[in-house]
Amino acid sequence: MEVMARPWSLLLSFALALVAVSVAQAAVVEHTFNVGNMSISRLCKPEKIITAVNGQLPGPTIFASEGDTVVVHMVNESPYNMTIHWHGIFQRGTQWADGPAMVTQCPVQPGGNYTYRFNVTGQEGTLWWHAHNSLHRATVYGALIIKPRGGVAAYPFTKPDEEEVVILGEWWNADVDELHVNATKTGQPAPHADNYTINGKPGASSGCADPNQTHKFELKQNKTYMLRIINAGLNTPLFFKIANHSFNVVAADACYTKPYTSDIVVVSPGQTVDALLIPDADITSISGGRYYMAVIPYNSAVNALNASDLYSLSTGSAIIEYTGGSSTSPPMLPQLPEYNDTATAHRFLSSMTALVPNKVPLNVTTQMFVTVSMGDTFCEPDQNTTCLPDDKGTIFASSMNNASFILPKTTSMLEAMYRKNATGVYTRDFPDTPPIVFDYTADASELNATLKHTFKSTKVRTLKYNETVQMVLQNTRLVSKESHPMHLHGFNFFVLAQDFGNYNETTDPAKFNLVDPQERNTVAVPTGGWAVIRFIADNPGMWFMHCHFDSHLDFGLGMVFEVEDGPTPETKLPPPPSDLPQC
Ligand code: C2O
């Protein structure tokens, strides 16, 4: 007996030690998100009801370490159908937790709940979460921070003393769900937000002097701060500045970049930027250590409309205050660029490169050339009761390769894929090239009006497991030219090149960076220009790719990749969780 007990107890303590080690390495980060009504006043207006998580705007920040499991129990106490998407998370093996309504799940109905469970493995940096149904992400959003497993010491740049989440957003006085319903009825996108916000607050530059409406950052002189900047706005690329300070950019979309010094940050909806900031100004100076942090829209649109039709020409601001600063004089405002300063936006967005050389796949197996357009469509018979066309019988629509994406109504696409029954849910004919070749970026007035006509459909591009996809995203100018922030779920991609005008397949490949291209989940395709991205489809599932302007997504600017199962059990789509919401 004695002889047997010894190895057994040894084995047991060894096993226990193993469990302890793995617990220390990979924790479970658990949250409950009650999505419900919140009463709030902004811009000095009377209180109104918005939809928010746990009564907070922005919602709670999730902090995790690389390798952890995140579990979020979402309880829908709101009167709306709701889902939450974990923007930038790969969802390997947890495809049912990705969140876009009708793509990977039916929405959670009022009174229902769903547990999102996923790993944050092989990625670290600043990501975020947001509602993925109607326009609810205007108020249902928050940060998702993944720290390196080795903690702050493992950052591949100057160790920051402190970190600050800086979420940029849009504030709408109107009810956003009503805007969505009206927009889909009339084909008129909602005009624009009423102001921009920093950590949920518009700041005094909005004209509302209430100090509770301005976020304040208290910073210690000469310490190093890491700002985790997220553009959670619905429709607006933003210029971000702090008076009298500059930044050292070290990451974008949770991918490390070569340190890049800039006095301005440009961030399009869906994108994130991590930037180091050292408050090194003289506190005895005239401004006494008080500065404004400010955001204004980058209006990339060039068309017949005035900028003010698309963007609120207001400034969102927060205050930076040095600890021990003496001044009580008004903070200094940064000098902001012109709203349409495309040169500044392009310089920032195209200058970033990966911190270390990337493993860019060289053997492309699927080539796609995809136009990104705004145009129009005819009212469909099944929309007749809700569709209010203009005098030409058309309503606004947006498209990729002239296919204007519409979500299925009865079954989510991932369920249809899993049950091997796409009939009535989606078709596998998303084209690899546009139906007509034309001068994509010629002045709208020179283009034949029929080129703008598009049709509603739910088309996917089916990919074999491990396919290497190269996609040229070509903006068009059928209605206006604009910089569309194109976001891919389930993957990061390499941005090989980007430029203005029409992509030239003979000469432009010479511009590809195949060594250290930036890796992102959202690329702001230059206005009237193109971007080339590449990724390996090694994650089976249904992955939405779409413009991160909700005003364009709502009108069809999207498509879906259906990635087939791989050869091993771990590379197959798992069965749906038992609490997956039903339609
Ligand atoms: Cu951040 Cu499909 O979205």
Side-chain angles (χ1 to χ4, degrees):
M1 263 335 258
E2 278 263 295
V3 186
M4 291 301 289
R6 202 162 242 259
W8 166 243
S9 63
L10 255 180
L11 226 122
L12 186 69
S13 53
F14 182 63
L16 282 175
L18 262 186
V19 169
V21 166
S22 62
V23 166
Q25 281 183 342
V28 175
V29 176
E30 200 164 355
H31 286 261
T32 298
F33 277 16
N34 291 308
V35 189
N37 285 349
M38 173 184 180
S39 170
I40 188 171
S41 156
R42 283 290 179 266
L43 301 177
C44 293
K45 295 243 181 316
E47 299 226 322
K48 65 167 235 175
I49 301 288
I50 60 165
T51 306
V53 171
N54 299 351
Q56 297 170 33
L57 181 74
T61 298
I62 297 177
F63 290 99
S65 296
E66 193 276 327
D68 286 355
T69 299
V70 175
V71 177
V72 179
H73 308 285
M74 193 265 254
V75 184
N76 186 8
E77 294 168 349
S78 85
Y80 306 108
N81 282 347
M82 194 59 58
T83 72
I84 293 184
H85 166 53
W86 317 92
H87 181 116
I89 298 288
F90 300 144
Q91 303 292 3
R92 287 172 185 276
T94 53
Q95 291 84 339
W96 302 95
D98 190 40
M102 300 317 291
V103 179
T104 61
Q105 67 166 101
C106 295
V108 181
Q109 287 163 17
N113 54 69
Y114 182 42
T115 296
Y116 292 92
R117 196 181 296 270
F118 53 89
N119 297 324
V120 290
T121 303
Q123 41 189 162
E124 55 195 52
T126 304
L127 294 172
W128 60 298
W129 55 265
H130 61 78
H132 212 303
N133 195 33
S134 176
L135 302 184
H136 293 302
R137 75 175 180 85
T139 52
V140 177
Y141 66 86
L144 199 178
I145 310 296
I146 310 170
K147 301 221 172 164
R149 198 184 280 230
V152 175
Y155 285 138
F157 43 79
T158 316
K159 315 297 165 242
D161 297 296
E162 281 174 51
E163 301 186 8
E164 297 279 356
V165 171
V166 184
I167 306 199
L168 314 177
E170 291 179 3
W171 174 258
W172 297 72
N173 288 331
D175 179 288
V176 287
D177 193 64
E178 251 163 54
L179 290 176
H180 161 80
V181 171
N182 281 338
T184 31
K185 210 181 272 181
T186 60
Q188 290 303 313
H192 59 68
D194 294 284
N195 214 93
Y196 305 103
T197 56
I198 297 177
N199 290 353
K201 298 181 175 179
S205 334
S206 67
C208 175
D210 175 357
N212 292 324
Q213 305 264 321
T214 301
H215 187 89
K216 196 196 273 179
F217 295 91
E218 296 206 23
L219 306 185
K220 299 182 195 81
Q221 195 181 28
N222 294 325
K223 293 276 178 210
T224 302
Y225 288 83
M226 174 153 78
L227 306 185
R228 296 177 175 275
I229 305 159
I230 300 166
N231 186 342
L234 290 191
N235 302 325
T236 318
L238 295 165
F239 288 122
F240 173 90
K241 278 194 111 174
I242 299 176
N244 206 27
H245 290 80
S246 64
F247 310 104
N248 196 6
V249 173
V250 292
D253 293 7
C255 296
Y256 296 118
T257 61
K258 286 197 180 61
Y260 172 63
T261 306
S262 175
D263 65 351
I264 192 161
V265 165
V266 185
V267 60
S268 213
Q271 295 184 323
T272 73
V273 170
D274 292 347
L276 301 179
L277 167 77
I278 301 179
D280 55 1
D282 176 5
I283 354 188
T284 59
S285 72
I286 179 130
S287 59
R290 298 182 84 219
Y291 302 92
Y292 271 122
M293 169 191 284
V295 284
I296 58 160
Y298 158 44
N299 174 27
S300 68
V302 178
N303 62 0
L305 301 170
N306 292 320
S308 56
D309 292 337
L310 286 167
Y311 301 114
S312 161
L313 298 184
S314 59
T315 306
S317 58
I319 292 178
I320 299 272
E321 201 166 270
Y322 283 35
T323 312
S326 51
S327 170
T328 47
S329 66
M332 181 194 272
L333 257 171
Q335 239 190 3
L336 291 155
E338 295 292 327
Y339 296 105
N340 61 358
D341 189 346
T342 288
T344 294
H346 188 66
R347 191 179 318 115
F348 182 88
L349 292 167
S350 63
S351 293
M352 280 179 280
T353 49
L355 177 62
V356 292
N358 273 317
K359 284 196 214 77
V360 182
L362 299 177
N363 182 22
V364 174
T365 55
T366 298
Q367 299 256 13
M368 301 175 75
F369 181 96
V370 180
T371 53
V372 173
S373 299
M374 296 200 279
D376 59 33
T377 189
F378 303 98
C379 293
E380 306 265 329
D382 75 326
Q383 293 178 301
N384 267 347
T385 45
T386 51
C387 184
L388 302 172
D390 61 12
D391 53 0
K392 291 184 216 73
T394 58
I395 58 167
F396 177 70
S398 43
S399 62
M400 292 174 76
N401 273 349
N402 211 41
S404 187
F405 186 82
I406 193 163
L407 291 167
K409 296 197 174 58
T410 55
T411 309
S412 83
M413 298 173 77
L414 191 60
E415 254 188 290
M417 176 190 180
Y418 179 73
R419 307 207 183 288
K420 302 202 175 7
N421 187 3
T423 317
V425 183
Y426 63 90
T427 54
R428 296 193 170 89
D429 53 350
F430 183 82
D432 286 351
T433 50
I436 300 175
V437 173
F438 59 98
D439 182 354
Y440 308 110
T441 50
D443 193 304
S445 59
E446 292 166 18
L447 293 169
N448 185 331
T450 60
L451 284 172
K452 312 195 280 202
H453 294 325
T454 178
F455 297 92
K456 295 285 170 190
S457 59
T458 309
K459 294 180 195 287
V460 307
R461 175 64 164 88
T462 303
L463 297 170
K464 295 229 166 335
Y465 179 79
N466 247 350
E467 203 91 39
T468 296
V469 183
Q470 175 171 301
M471 198 180 203
V472 177
L473 292 160
Q474 174 69 60
N475 278 337
T476 72
R477 198 182 174 175
L478 291 168
V479 173
S480 72
K481 61 174 184 176
E482 210 169 323
S483 170
H484 299 277
M486 299 302 293
H487 170 52
L488 176 61
H489 289 222
F491 304 93
N492 283 344
F493 47 73
F494 299 113
V495 183
L496 302 187
Q498 49 186 317
D499 212 340
F500 299 99
N502 295 337
Y503 175 75
N504 182 322
E505 62 177 28
T506 317
T507 54
D508 285 328
K511 297 176 185 160
F512 288 3
N513 176 353
L514 299 170
V515 178
D516 58 357
Q518 47 178 300
E519 188 182 340
R520 310 202 69 133
N521 62 52
T522 307
V523 61
V525 182
T527 179
W530 51 269
V532 180
I533 64 167
R534 206 179 271 186
F535 66 98
I536 299 179
D538 56 358
N539 191 8
M542 277 289 181
W543 304 115
F544 210 172
M545 178 170 206
H546 62 84
C547 179
H548 220 281
F549 290 160
D550 273 16
S551 64
H552 295 173
L553 173 57
D554 239 7
F555 291 96
L557 219 172
M559 56 81 67
V560 172
F561 282 108
E562 175 189 43
V563 181
E564 292 177 345
D565 280 348
T568 60
E570 311 79 69
T571 56
K572 291 198 192 323
L573 178 64
S578 56
D579 62 340
L580 185 75
Q582 296 302 304
C583 286

